[in-house]
Amino acid sequence: MSAPAVYLAAFQPLQALAKQQVFRPEQVCSALAKIFSVDLSEVGLLRLEGRTLSFLFPLELRTSGFIPLSSSALAAETAQSMKAKFFNNFARVRHDSIFEVVAAGVKVNSALRTIQKLMSAPIMRDGACLGVIQVCRKGFNPEAAGPDFDAEQLARLEQAGIQIGKLMHEQKMSPSAVESGIIVF
């Protein structure tokens, strides 16, 4: 299979969602988890609502509050700059950990796994940011979290952000269309 064919094949899980009449944010995140070979608990989806970002996934964070665009959170920075970034030393990057603690959720040997590596990309449509997607690798340390993210994976996440933006736009995924986690269009 040629490189472009392999690249396009990676996005089949997201393309399949475009054929559905109803989809849930966790389905989008499940597709991303497959694309990047991470656990579902290592994917986040946030929607931009005015000057704040709200979690659509993980579900545990939907009621935990919002992230103001004026904050120093990486998700806010991603939405403001509309540029994707990755950090293979995220545990050492200064960041708010309140959401991370809730999102980590998995206890192994009584210790909480933390985000060691993270990619963040805007969800884009027609030059506008509609939200942010984040993919991370969790572990007790960077080595246990798995391989580093690279520029090719970041480019894939940016492309996924464009495809998700298209889904959000075409499927009329808007604050008024979201009811009980089901996106109706």
Side-chain angles (χ1 to χ4, degrees), residues 47 49 171-180 182-185:
R47 179 181 57 231
E49 298 175 348
Q171 314 309 341
K172 297 176 181 62
M173 185 174 164
S174 66
S176 61
V178 177
E179 293 181 21
S180 304
I182 298 175
I183 309 307
V184 182
F185 51 88

Side-chain angles (χ1 to χ4, degrees), residues 60-130:
E60 301 84 9
L61 294 178
R62 287 184 67 199
T63 59
S64 67
F66 56 89
I67 300 171
L69 287 185
S70 60
S71 77
S72 61
L74 178 59
E77 181 184 326
T78 300
Q80 294 257 60
S81 70
M82 294 189 275
K83 294 184 191 248
K85 291 185 178 182
F86 71 93
F87 299 88
N88 287 316
N89 61 346
F90 190 73
R92 288 185 267 154
V93 173
R94 186 179 169 139
H95 64 280
D96 291 333
S97 61
I98 185 73
F99 295 116
E100 181 179 351
V101 171
V102 175
V106 178
K107 289 191 176 187
V108 180
N109 298 332
S110 302
L112 204 54
R113 297 183 312 147
T114 59
I115 296 172
Q116 299 291 332
K117 303 168 187 198
L118 181 118
M119 293 190 297
S120 184
I123 298 171
M124 299 294 295
R125 179 67 180 172
D126 296 330
C129 181
L130 303 178

